[in-house]
């Protein structure tokens, strides 16, 4: 037995016999031992970045985007619109991803304009002026100096200047803001009385192209013609502005900036990878704590509460998507979000959760036995999924593709399903009854992040590998009423009865490196023996920590 674990058990046995005066020493001892051997891996401190380095990275992103769109174009980005929860209550504000990617600003009613062909004026941030009466109700807003410190954009105009600026742009007229609406400027000309020549030169190339109908205005609008005719769920303001720009000839062609952002955001910088890793670390702790409490829970929402508590405790922004906590049959529903089912000791619990930190989200799934031990049937399905994931890992390398990962996982799934008796033909699509989703998706600022599925992997790209098998109790009831289906049902019925109500998904987050890949979620158990061991130890650790807390409370009352 591991020496550290023996010492840990010794601490547990002594915990209730030590005098209260020795409690602090025992707590230190426990902390020293568990720092290495703890089953519940506590998230390390959040990454800290040098302000100059962070601003330099933001500036490099804006410069790269400006280079991509060219001197004959402009980019217009709008901050996210507040989302209504009910009546006069909003959801917590979350900035639009691409706006945040270029500015690091979490401010409503802000706009960013890039003018790549500009001489002295190449980027403008439109920012609401601070209003003490409003801040009394809704909290402090950015001052121009704070916005510049966070974003590195030093030309900041009051938000009210955006509409007249856009009108001048359409009319191919150099725009001069009202002097008292220039909140901050680093240009050599006096910002209160902008230099006419300098300002005109900033628009010269753009307007010359517009005069020939060769200028482009990039915005976040869909590239899908069908989507352009339907109301956008997230980009309605951009959609309305684009429609307004198209109504009258002005020499500008409105184009989508999405493909450029998608290409840029696919490759994560070291700074982005550190943020993603911290989101994963918070999620890892949350899943460890969930495994520890599941055996004592009666309802799924109790286990979800442990996840939500950990996210908040570690200062996550939020979850990246609603947590999925499904026990028993509920584990066979891919996007089960209710968390209202009962927790039974003999069942498997599937948990798909991801903390969001610094605008980057984790996406991790673990499936584990509530009672701490897999049954043989559960082990069969779990090991099938694990083998499929391992096959997918072998294709995670520079130059690889999602198609290769998916094909490797599916080949394993087909062969294993055939051995278990759940399909009769590996050359058919029968496996889709039990595995109906893809194996991978991009990960970053969205849980299903931007990028083409056909892209070849390069260093810095991050994605999931997540095969799953779901034996829904009604899966055979909805097959086509054909002779072929009836033969299939008769053939697989014994295996189906053995494995029904079992749902297993294992999902990890990987980053491509120059030599292969790095598993961001490597700290979480994956094999059945590892899972069982962690559940056992995590439950003991949680009981021990709760005992220490009770001792602290008792000592405090006595004092």
């Amino acid at each position: 037995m591991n020496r550290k674990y023996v010492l840990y058990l010794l601490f547990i046995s002594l915990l209730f016999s030590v005098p209260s005066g020795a409690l602090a020493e025992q707590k230190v001892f426990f902390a020293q031992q568990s720092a290495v051997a703890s089953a519940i891996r506590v998230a390390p401190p959040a990454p800290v970045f040098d302000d100059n380095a962070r601003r330099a990275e933001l500036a490099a992103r804006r410069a790269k985007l400006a280079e991509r769109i060219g001197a004959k174009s402009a980019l217009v980005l709008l901050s996210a619109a507040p989302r209504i929860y009910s009546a006069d209550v909003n959801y917590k504000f979350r900035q639009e991803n691409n706006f945040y990617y270029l500015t690091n600003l979490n401010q409503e009613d802000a706009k960013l304009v890039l003018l790549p062909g500009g001489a002295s004026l190449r980027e403008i941030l439109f920012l609401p002026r601070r209003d003490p009466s409003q801040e009394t109700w809704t909290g402090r807003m950015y001052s121009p100096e704070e916005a510049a410190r966070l974003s590195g954009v030093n030309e900041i105009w009051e938000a009210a200047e955006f509409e007249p600026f856009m009108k001048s742009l359409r009319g191919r007229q150099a725009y001069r803001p009202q002097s008292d609406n220039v909140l901050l400027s680093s240009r050599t000309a006096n910002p209160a009385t902008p230099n006419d020549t300098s300002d005109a030169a900033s628009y010269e190339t753009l307007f010359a192209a517009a005069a020939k109908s060769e200028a482009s205005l990039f915005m976040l609008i869909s590239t899908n013609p069908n989507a352009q005719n339907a109301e956008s769920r997230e980009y309605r303001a951009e959609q309305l502005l684009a429609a307004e720009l198209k109504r009258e000839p002005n020499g500008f062609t409105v184009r989508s900036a999405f493909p450029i952002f998608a290409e840029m955001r696919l490759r994560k910088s070291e700074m982005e990878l550190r943020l993603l890793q911290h989101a994963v670390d918070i999620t890892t702790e949350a899943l460890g704590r969930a495994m520890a409490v599941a055996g004592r829970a009666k309802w799924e929402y109790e286990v979800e509460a442990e996840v939500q508590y950990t996210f908040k405790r570690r200062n996550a922004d939020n979850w990246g998507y609603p947590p999925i906590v499904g026990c028993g049959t509920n584990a066979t529903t891919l996007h089960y979000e209710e968390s209202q089912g009962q927790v039974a000791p003999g069942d498997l619990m599937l948990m798909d959760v991801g903390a969001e930190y610094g605008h980057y989200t984790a996406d991790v799934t673990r499936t584990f036995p509530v009672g701490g031990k897999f049954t043989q049937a559960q082990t069969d399905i779990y090991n099938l999924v694990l083998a499929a994931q391992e096959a997918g890992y072998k294709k995670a390398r520079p130059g690889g593709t999602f198609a290769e990962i998916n094909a490797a996982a599916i080949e394993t799934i087909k062969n294993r399903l055939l051995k278990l008796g759940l399909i009769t033909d590996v050359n058919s699509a029968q496996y889709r009854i039990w595995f109906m989703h893809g194996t991978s998706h991009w990960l970053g600022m969205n849980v299903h992040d931007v990028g083409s599925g056909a892209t070849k992997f390069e260093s810095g790209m991050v994605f999931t590998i997540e095969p799953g098998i779901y034996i829904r109790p009604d899966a055979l009831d909805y097959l086509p009423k054909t002779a072929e289906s009836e033969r299939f049902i008769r053939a697989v019925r014994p295996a189906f009865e053995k494995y029904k109500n079992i749902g297993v998904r294992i999902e990890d987050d990987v980053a491509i490196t120059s030599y292969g890949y790095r598993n961001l979620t490597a700290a979480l158990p994956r094999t059945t023996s590892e899972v069982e061991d962690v559940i056992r130890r995590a439950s003991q650790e949680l009981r021990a920590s709760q005992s220490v807390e009770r001792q602290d409370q008792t000592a405090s009352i006595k004092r």
Side-chain angles (χ1 to χ4, degrees):
M1 183 178 289
N2 185 285
R3 178 177 175 275
K4 293 185 176 67
Y5 189 55
V6 171
L7 291 172
Y8 167 75
L9 292 178
L10 178 62
F11 164 73
I12 297 297
S13 66
L14 293 174
L15 180 63
F16 298 103
S17 61
V18 298
S20 59
L23 183 61
E25 291 183 13
Q26 296 291 352
K27 288 168 66 178
V28 170
F29 170 81
F30 172 67
Q32 290 172 341
Q33 298 305 313
S34 63
V36 176
S38 176
I40 301 174
R41 185 179 183 275
V42 176
V48 177
F49 304 110
D50 176 79
D51 277 351
N52 291 328
R54 183 178 47 74
R55 283 192 294 267
E57 181 160 319
L58 293 171
R61 292 174 188 173
R62 295 193 296 270
K64 183 176 181 179
L65 193 141
E67 182 182 2
R68 290 290 305 272
I69 68 177
K72 296 180 179 180
S73 302
L75 170 79
V76 176
L77 288 185
L78 311 182
S79 63
R83 308 297 177 188
I84 302 298
Y85 174 75
S86 177
D88 61 350
V89 178
N90 287 349
Y91 284 102
K92 180 182 177 181
F93 180 76
R94 182 185 186 277
Q95 186 61 276
E96 195 279 323
N97 284 331
N98 301 293
F99 192 98
Y100 193 86
Y101 182 74
L102 295 187
T103 67
N104 203 41
L105 296 176
N106 202 40
Q107 173 69 61
E108 297 179 27
D109 195 28
K111 285 91 175 172
L112 178 70
V113 172
L114 298 187
L115 301 167
S120 65
L121 188 63
R122 295 176 63 87
E123 48 189 35
I124 311 167
L125 175 65
F126 295 86
L127 192 71
R129 191 187 297 273
R130 290 188 62 192
D131 180 353
S133 63
Q134 182 179 344
E135 291 182 20
T136 298
W137 292 90
T138 59
R140 196 171 187 277
M141 300 166 64
Y142 292 131
S143 69
E145 293 76 17
E146 288 171 322
R149 178 178 58 80
L150 288 168
S151 68
V153 178
N154 294 306
E155 189 70 28
I156 302 179
W157 299 354
E158 210 278 326
E161 295 287 344
F162 179 72
E163 290 298 332
F165 169 82
M166 290 300 297
K167 184 177 180 180
S168 292
L169 201 67
R170 293 195 298 270
R172 301 201 290 274
Q173 298 292 320
Y175 184 69
R176 295 181 60 184
Q178 296 182 29
S179 59
D180 59 350
N181 280 343
V182 178
L183 305 181
L184 190 71
S185 180
S186 61
R187 290 188 290 162
T188 54
N190 184 341
T193 57
N195 182 286
D196 289 341
T197 303
S198 174
D199 278 14
S202 293
Y203 298 97
E204 190 175 278
T205 303
L206 181 64
F207 290 164
K212 299 176 183 179
S213 296
E214 297 175 356
S216 298
L217 190 59
F218 283 84
M219 297 177 59
L220 294 175
I221 58 171
S222 175
T223 57
N224 184 340
N226 295 327
Q228 291 175 14
N229 296 325
E231 185 172 299
S232 173
R233 293 174 61 188
E234 186 174 359
Y235 296 97
R236 187 169 182 269
E238 288 84 349
Q239 195 175 39
L240 293 174
L241 179 57
E244 180 183 341
L245 290 167
K246 292 176 181 179
R247 271 198 290 269
E248 56 184 56
N250 48 46
F252 288 92
T253 299
V254 178
R255 299 175 62 183
S256 176
F258 277 120
I260 301 174
F261 277 109
E263 190 274 334
M264 289 177 60
R265 283 170 48 192
L266 260 180
R267 297 159 184 82
K268 307 297 188 293
S269 68
E270 185 58 35
M271 202 173 290
E272 291 176 281
L273 288 173
R274 288 178 64 190
L275 290 170
L276 261 171
Q277 183 64 69
H278 193 60
V280 167
D281 290 340
I282 295 172
T283 306
T284 295
E285 180 180 349
L287 282 168
R289 293 184 181 279
M291 289 182 183
V293 304
R296 285 172 279 164
K298 293 183 178 180
W299 299 93
E300 293 164 344
Y301 57 76
E302 297 176 62
V303 185
E304 180 184 340
E306 195 69 29
V307 171
Q308 301 276 29
Y309 163 70
T310 305
F311 286 2
K312 181 62 70 174
R313 186 184 191 190
R314 300 302 172 211
N315 198 33
D317 302 341
N318 201 348
W319 38 252
Y321 53 94
I324 296 170
V325 181
C327 192
T329 301
N330 291 334
T332 67
T333 299
L334 271 63
H335 289 164
Y336 171 77
E337 298 174 0
E338 288 82 1
S339 299
Q340 293 297 306
Q342 288 188 307
V343 175
D347 286 340
L348 289 181
M349 176 166 285
L350 187 154
M351 297 188 65
D352 187 341
V353 299
E356 179 178 281
Y357 185 85
H359 238 71
Y360 289 83
T361 181
D363 184 10
V364 188
T365 305
R366 285 297 183 268
T367 308
F368 57 91
V370 171
K373 290 288 183 180
F374 288 93
T375 66
Q376 186 56 55
Q378 292 167 351
T379 299
D380 291 345
I381 300 299
Y382 190 95
N383 284 340
L384 183 164
V385 175
L386 183 63
Q389 191 188 42
E390 290 288 352
Y393 269 121
K394 293 178 181 178
K395 303 298 181 180
R397 64 190 189 284
T401 63
F402 283 165
E404 292 175 359
I405 289 179
N406 196 51
I410 287 175
E411 182 180 5
T412 301
I413 286 171
K414 286 181 176 181
N415 291 330
R416 295 260 180 156
L417 285 173
L418 183 67
K419 288 181 179 179
L420 294 182
L422 286 166
I423 63 172
T424 61
D425 182 7
V426 295
N427 296 315
S428 72
Q430 291 175 359
Y431 76 96
R432 297 294 288 174
I433 299 172
W434 317 117
F435 176 46
M436 61 291 295
H437 59 78
T439 311
S440 297
H441 60 76
W442 299 115
L443 188 66
M445 300 184 97
N446 283 332
V447 64
H448 296 129
D449 210 28
V450 293
S452 167
T455 300
K456 290 187 177 181
F457 301 149
E458 296 178 19
S459 182
M461 295 182 179
V462 182
F463 53 87
T464 66
I465 301 180
E466 52 171 315
I469 294 294
Y470 315 91
I471 316 297
R472 293 184 60 79
D474 58 358
L476 302 179
D477 299 341
Y478 298 99
L479 295 179
K481 304 301 181 182
T482 64
E484 182 180 357
S485 291
E486 292 301 321
R487 285 193 297 271
F488 171 78
I489 291 171
R490 285 195 298 272
V492 304
R493 176 67 73 180
F496 171 75
E497 294 298 331
K498 178 179 180 180
Y499 296 115
K500 70 179 179 182
N501 295 320
I502 294 177
V504 174
R505 182 164 65 251
I506 309 171
E507 179 180 21
D508 287 283
D509 304 338
V510 301
I512 294 295
T513 66
S514 59
Y515 56 83
Y517 71 87
R518 177 162 61 94
N519 185 358
L520 304 181
T521 39
L524 277 169
R526 292 175 61 236
T527 68
T528 54
S529 60
E530 289 172 345
V531 169
E532 290 175 348
D533 180 61
V534 163
I535 291 174
R536 175 175 54 82
R537 292 193 294 123
S539 299
Q540 292 171 339
E541 288 173 15
L542 194 65
R543 282 195 294 270
S545 66
Q546 290 172 342
S547 296
V548 170
E549 290 174 4
R550 285 195 294 270
Q551 292 265 351
D552 280 343
Q553 292 169 357
T554 301
S556 177
I557 292 171
K558 288 180 178 179
R559 284 195 297 267

